[in-house]
Amino acid sequence: MSRKRGRRKAATGRPSSSRMAAKDLTPRQRLLLILILGGAPLLLLVALELGLLAAGYGGRPPLFVAYDPAPEYLVPNPSIGLRYFPGSNDPPRPPTDIFRADKSPGSLRLFVQGASSAAGFPYSYGGAFSKMLEERLTRQYPDREVEVVNTAITATNSYTLLDLADEIIAQQPDAVLIYVGHNEFYGAYGVGSAVLAGRVPAITRGYLWMTRLRAVQLVRSLVGPPAGEGKEPWSARTLMERMAAEQSIPLGSGLRESGVRQFRSNLRRLLEKYRNAGVPVFIATVASNERDLPPFSGAPEDEDARGAFASRLAQVRAALGAGDTVGGILLLRQGVLDQPLAADPRFALATTFDRIGQYDSALVHYSGAIDLDRLPFRAPSAVNEVIRDEARRADAILVDALGRLRRASPQGIIGNELILEHVHPNIQGQFLISEAFLDGLREAGSLGEAAASGPDEDPRQRVPVTAVDSLIGEFHIQRLTAGFPFQPQGVVRVAPVDTLRPRNQVEAIALEFYRGRINWIDAQRRLSAHYATTGQFAEAMHVDRVLALELPLARAPLFHAAVVARFAGRLDLVERFLAEARDRGAQAEALFLEGGLLATRGDTAAARERYQQAAQLAMQDSQFRLAPEALAAIPGLETRARERPTDPGALSDLGAVYYLTAQYDRARDMVSRALLLAPGNEAALNLERRMNQLLTT
């Protein structure tokens, strides 16, 4: 019996396999077990990622893609906005700036980063300061290839800039120009944004990094993106309304401090990244409409306080109406003291100081009103403080765009003269920002010696914006200000552009583009043709210049500009445009127009040689082949026209040979004289039609 008990005891005392505990493992076995258990999910993730990669699923839109017409060039990816607005059918996109895939030795390559103001909203293409800067640099440094590439994306902020920086560094920039700061609260991933608002920058940056993984993209497609991220940004509601999830972010609140902290954290990393890569950075302070736009959300929050402020305002108006300026100011000062966190009392005090000519005090209170606005679509002063601090810390070059715009504003206070609504500069404002960056580049020694400018080189006259672009900008602003936050939330007024009937051809072209019926290039071509056929030659040449700047590989705009210059009798401009067109491959056309220049100057032998060379390069062009014969006929027809000055036939015949030899200004003169004598002369009318056709192609 005792033996059985002993066996039973031995049996129960023996450890079973199910009871093998971690304490029975050696340290090495424990470590191996931890690695297996902890690494299994990682291995599964890696396997899933590799499988998705092999299957061709997903992928992150790159910042730059090959330019389809010329793969040796790159262009900012029009789909890059899908990184920050996944699921959108029409994500915001950067401007279309073409640059070489392989940087040329000695070229000047600049990249621009920012949001809608840097992208040139509400204008198309040339309305961005980057295009104005490129035009200036191209003219002043003709011996250098200039590439200014704008990567700014509407409704984004410092998270986007940081996310794109490595891809910009890979393109060997000579400098990066930054204009950003207005969207830290309501831009994508901002603290008050509807698109994945995040208050901890490290977590938001981590999420952005994880979206590179195809496995994360798969999960997001199955369960849907985080709240707000997949919403279509363009809708009946304005983009501003869709982006603003938090309708109140008062000064001193946790959200306000988080937004400023987020900006500082991202900007510090961005500038350090460029500094470590040896890329100079020029970063600008940002400007807002200080004078002519009241706070979006500035009334006292308490209903009784709002009533008290309204009564005080009535008292102020009465005092000012009676000439008691001091009394009115004292009443307003008391209102500010009673409601120190409300923006409207501060703005009212600013306008009163403004009215009586105390502009320094007015500016202080206008700035204070922006800081107190609970709906901070305009960057508060803390944003510019961060820009100055971080620029100094990272040895970046500070560009005082805010100061430049204030100095150009009446009494040093920025208003509607330079800002269209709350933050977007008009054409003059964009030009001033481009000048501020240009001065910064020069002072830093980044450009070298500029060529001397000629007497016609007024840079303000060469801003690459057309009348159609200006109208399009007006239309966009009408639509923007018809909704939130310029109107009460949920209210969208009918914008004038929605019912506009064009009053002239320029408005008709602009509306066709705005309503999506033609593209921007076709709109500009129509505008140039309209100007040219109505004798507005300077305006037509300006449009052609704008097209040539936007389409740096196309020769047609420059050749058309040369033709228009010839009609205008500006032989100096013909030579300039021809030289630029020839650089882009317009050999036959350039030779033909050169022949016309030589014929006008009396060098018939050289003119004939140019015509023959043009005909050899473009054998299918009958006009090139006929030019030498027409040139030989000119002396006799000139004699005939002199002898018979009232004969419309003689005049139109001479006009025809002038036309065939590319002396378009002389041909136009002969046709005009012939039609003055005989308005129905068929030969003259036919020649006029041919010349108009030339001006419209």
Side-chain angles (χ1 to χ4, degrees), residues 162-247:
L162 183 58
D163 187 52
L164 300 177
D166 287 333
E167 290 165 277
I168 290 175
I169 291 170
Q171 298 303 325
Q172 302 175 303
D174 292 299
V176 172
L177 317 182
I178 298 174
Y179 186 89
V180 73
H182 288 302
N183 289 351
E184 291 308 308
F185 300 98
Y186 294 124
Y189 306 102
V191 295
S193 172
V195 180
L196 193 70
R199 302 188 188 184
V200 182
I203 294 175
T204 304
R205 289 193 294 265
Y207 170 75
L208 273 171
W209 185 90
M210 289 181 64
T211 60
R212 304 169 188 233
L213 301 177
R214 287 168 169 79
V216 173
Q217 295 165 22
L218 175 63
V219 171
R220 190 166 56 181
S221 70
L222 294 174
V223 303
E229 203 182 49
K231 291 180 179 178
E232 178 60 52
W234 311 107
S235 68
R237 291 193 294 162
T238 67
L239 178 59
M240 294 176 71
E241 184 172 7
R242 298 207 64 158
M243 296 297 290
E246 293 287 345
Q247 297 292 304

Side-chain angles (χ1 to χ4, degrees), residues 479-500:
R479 174 63 62 81
L480 180 70
T481 55
F484 177 87
F486 304 93
Q487 308 299 333
Q489 189 174 14
V491 174
V492 179
R493 295 184 178 176
V494 176
V497 65
D498 293 335
T499 58
L500 179 65

